[in-house]
Amino acid sequence: MGTATPGREARDGERPGVPEAVAGLPRQVREELSRRLRRNRRAFRREDVQVVEPPLLRRAVGASALGNCMEWFDFGVYSYLAATIGKVFFPGASPAAQVISSFATFAAAFVVRPLGGLVFGPLGDRIGRQKVLATTMIMMAVGTFAIGIIPGYATIGIAAPVLLLLARMVQGFSTGGEYGGATTFVAEYSPDRRRGFLSSWLDFGTFVGYALGSALVTALNLLLTDGQMLSWGWRVPFLIAGPLGVIGLYMRLKLEESPAFQQQLDEHEKGLAQESAGSEFKDIIRNHWPALLVCMGLVLLYNVTNYMVTGYLPTYQTETLHRSSGSADVLVLTGMVWIVVLITFLGRLSDRVGRRPVYAVAAAAMIVLAVPSFLLIKADGTWPPILGVLVLSTLLACFAAPSAATLPALFPTAVRYAAMGIGFNIAVAAFGGTTPLVTAALVNATGDDLMPAYYLMLAGAIGLLTVRFLPESAQVPLNGSQPMVGSSQERRELITTSKELYAYARERAGTPGE
């Protein structure tokens, strides 16, 4: 299986005669393989190890990442146009009230996200991941395109913000099935040894989508006058959702179901899948609540940071620090590009050192660096704000990179999509999507423009506590799935290692005093 990697035990403490292949296994991999070998009462055979062909793997990861990019371009554009949308749909309010009203509409989409997760999650576990992901793609495109054609308050009065709210709720409902499904799909396709790296491409797509949305809004702000932006310019990014949705739908319809969904590992898993068709939600709450809480804690850490940087920071600069929208957008765009550069390297790092160390170091750094980062963002000049945004973006990349590999690994195949839909969306609705609204309200109520930093420190503390209960899943086969490898050679190596591990375990069991 390779050389020493995350969880590797020191050779000095090992028993004499430990096979080299067994000694080189990360601790968590050794424990999981041993558990499976004990259950099977034999070493792995050819049919026990799933090989994912490279072309199929590239298509699955690429289509998921590109589809996610398009979906989050649609969803993210709203963040960058929050101040303008507030003026179009809430013209009678004060500037602060306009921003808060706009972010309240933004947050409303997150209220229905858990409902989307409850609907799409069980469907994904029963009818397949691919079908549900195609459906969420259509709904997001329709909801976003609708925002672009809604008349403003000056034209249809109170009906304008009501229609805006409805369109946002369609977006939120579709997104409730998106991230949990996409992460489940990519994780189930990825070879165990490279799941962190390959899954990080999903969030790579997310931040490319954010960056493209930010770049488009920045270009519009630079090319158009304020009057043109208020009149029609703000609609352009939303209208692009139509053709993007068609492209994303085509790509997702070309995908095949994940190997883990196509075949359950054993009869127990099949029985669980059949049982879950009738009472999946109750089963998740009753049997998987510890994993659900860990999932929610990590999602809180990731998404509070995410929506602080991508959702609130542009408005914080324009409305609180009174900078131009162009400079604010360029600054956030710089952070998004930096995340895109870092994220796959951090995903690969999580395969080597483990998911827990990446989360823990970044959460601790968040507690220490949140206030200095915002002091830099507030400072005059060009480089201090850039440095502050880059620090926050680096921490965000550390939370994003391992998430798509870590969260699906918390749950077995039969309930993975639904459990992800519940845990992810409840946490995002309660803490992530409300971050711009709550932070804007706190700054307005207290007059303290460091409130965003304090909010991030709290998220870092919760994340650090959560990591204590997070099982290490780097290089470990997914619960309820066969071991996944990327080539026939890797399969032969794993089968050989399993034989040595099984023989060693039997030898130890037969040794007196063991």
Side-chain angles (χ1 to χ4, degrees):
M1 288 286 287
T3 57
T5 40
R8 172 77 172 87
E9 296 175 315
R11 288 186 180 275
D12 293 342
E14 289 171 349
R15 300 173 184 271
V18 178
E20 182 178 353
V22 174
L25 291 174
R27 177 182 301 172
Q28 70 274 8
V29 177
R30 185 190 306 186
E31 291 175 352
E32 175 61 18
L33 294 183
S34 297
R35 184 186 70 81
R36 295 187 181 214
L37 295 175
R38 287 195 302 271
R39 184 182 63 191
N40 294 342
R41 297 183 180 179
R42 60 173 174 78
F44 290 147
R45 297 171 182 165
R46 182 182 177 86
E47 63 270 18
D48 296 324
V49 182
Q50 177 77 40
V51 177
V52 183
E53 297 299 330
L56 191 63
L57 177 61
R58 286 193 295 269
R59 189 169 67 184
V61 174
S64 298
L66 287 173
N68 209 46
C69 171
M70 294 173 185
E71 183 136 358
W72 285 94
F73 168 87
D74 297 346
F75 203 77
V77 157
Y78 192 99
S79 302
Y80 303 115
L81 289 170
T84 302
I85 289 172
K87 296 173 184 177
V88 172
F89 289 92
F90 309 98
S94 66
Q98 286 177 350
V99 172
I100 292 174
S101 298
S102 181
F103 277 137
T105 308
F106 179 82
F110 291 85
V111 174
V112 298
R113 281 189 66 160
L115 181 59
L118 288 174
V119 172
F120 288 125
L123 279 176
D125 285 330
R126 293 169 198 160
I127 68 173
R129 284 73 161 115
Q130 181 263 354
K131 296 182 180 65
V132 173
L133 288 174
T135 303
T136 61
M137 187 82 255
I138 297 171
M139 292 186 65
M140 174 59 79
V142 170
T144 307
F145 186 81
I147 293 177
I149 62 175
I150 296 173
Y153 188 93
T155 303
I156 60 173
I158 191 64
V162 171
L163 290 174
L164 175 66
L165 178 63
L166 290 175
R168 286 290 299 159
M169 293 179 78
V170 171
Q171 284 185 319
F173 188 81
S174 69
T175 309
E178 169 62 23
Y179 190 80
T183 55
T184 294
F185 190 80
V186 173
E188 289 179 347
Y189 253 109
S190 300
D192 299 331
R193 284 200 265 184
R194 297 198 298 150
R195 185 173 295 115
F197 170 67
L198 292 169
S199 297
S200 68
W201 284 97
L202 185 65
D203 285 280
F204 174 91
T206 295
F207 288 102
V208 167
Y210 273 126
L212 290 175
S214 176
L216 179 56
V217 173
T218 300
L220 290 171
N221 281 324
L222 293 175
L223 295 172
L224 302 178
T225 65
D226 289 344
Q228 289 173 323
M229 279 296 294
L230 283 172
S231 175
W232 57 270
W234 68 271
R235 298 181 183 275
V236 172
F238 295 104
L239 295 178
I240 291 176
L244 286 182
V246 173
I247 296 171
L249 177 61
Y250 172 78
M251 295 176 64
R252 290 193 167 176
L253 289 176
K254 298 289 286 183
L255 292 173
E256 298 180 17
E257 275 298 348
S258 70
F261 180 78
Q262 289 174 342
Q263 59 166 345
Q264 297 292 334
L265 182 61
D266 53 29
E267 290 302 321
H268 169 71
E269 289 292 340
K270 292 177 183 176
L272 182 59
Q274 293 166 359
E275 175 190 346
S276 68
S279 57
E280 188 167 11
F281 178 75
K282 289 174 60 177
D283 173 66
I284 291 168
I285 299 300
R286 181 174 62 249
N287 298 322
H288 304 286
W289 63 266
L292 208 58
L293 291 178
V294 171
C295 175
M296 293 173 66
L298 295 179
V299 172
L300 181 154
L301 175 66
Y302 172 14
N303 280 274
V304 166
T305 312
N306 185 12
Y307 288 104
M308 186 70 75
V309 175
T310 62
Y312 180 66
L313 201 54
T315 303
Y316 175 77
Q317 293 181 80
T318 56
E319 303 301 317
T320 302
L321 303 182
H322 306 292
R323 292 173 178 160
S324 69
S325 58
S327 65
D329 290 338
V330 168
L331 194 60
V332 174
L333 177 59
T334 302
M336 295 300 98
V337 172
W338 180 238
I339 293 173
V340 168
V341 170
L342 284 181
I343 194 164
T344 58
F345 292 99
L346 291 169
R348 191 188 298 273
L349 179 67
S350 76
D351 283 329
R352 296 180 63 85
V353 305
R355 322 287 190 226
R356 298 181 77 247
V358 174
Y359 276 118
V361 171
M366 177 68 79
I367 298 171
V368 175
L369 297 176
V371 169
S373 296
F374 269 88
L375 289 174
L376 288 169
I377 292 171
K378 288 174 53 182
D380 295 328
T382 301
W383 292 108
I386 290 177
L387 180 59
V389 168
L390 290 180
V391 170
L392 292 180
S393 299
T394 301
L395 297 176
L396 175 54
C398 290
F399 303 142
S403 288
T406 304
L407 301 179
L410 293 169
F411 306 102
T413 300
V415 299
R416 184 171 294 128
Y417 198 150
M420 279 285 297
I422 295 169
F424 186 89
N425 290 299
I426 288 177
V428 172
F431 306 105
T434 59
T435 293
L437 171 64
V438 172
T439 309
L442 287 173
V443 170
N444 189 54
T446 64
D448 187 348
D449 53 16
L450 286 178
M451 288 304 299
Y454 305 146
Y455 204 74
L456 288 177
M457 291 174 67
L458 178 60
I462 294 173
L464 198 59
L465 177 63
T466 302
V467 172
R468 293 190 59 188
F469 302 95
L470 173 67
E472 183 56 73
S473 60
Q475 304 190 34
V476 176
L478 291 174
N479 186 2
S481 302
Q482 289 181 319
M484 301 283 288
V485 296
S487 67
S488 297
Q489 175 63 30
E490 288 185 22
R491 175 164 59 186
R492 287 192 293 270
E493 292 174 359
L494 180 56
I495 291 173
T496 299
T497 300
S498 75
K499 292 177 180 177
E500 295 181 357
L501 179 60
Y502 187 61
Y504 175 64
R506 293 186 65 182
E507 180 182 339
R508 288 185 59 187
T511 302
E514 292 293 322

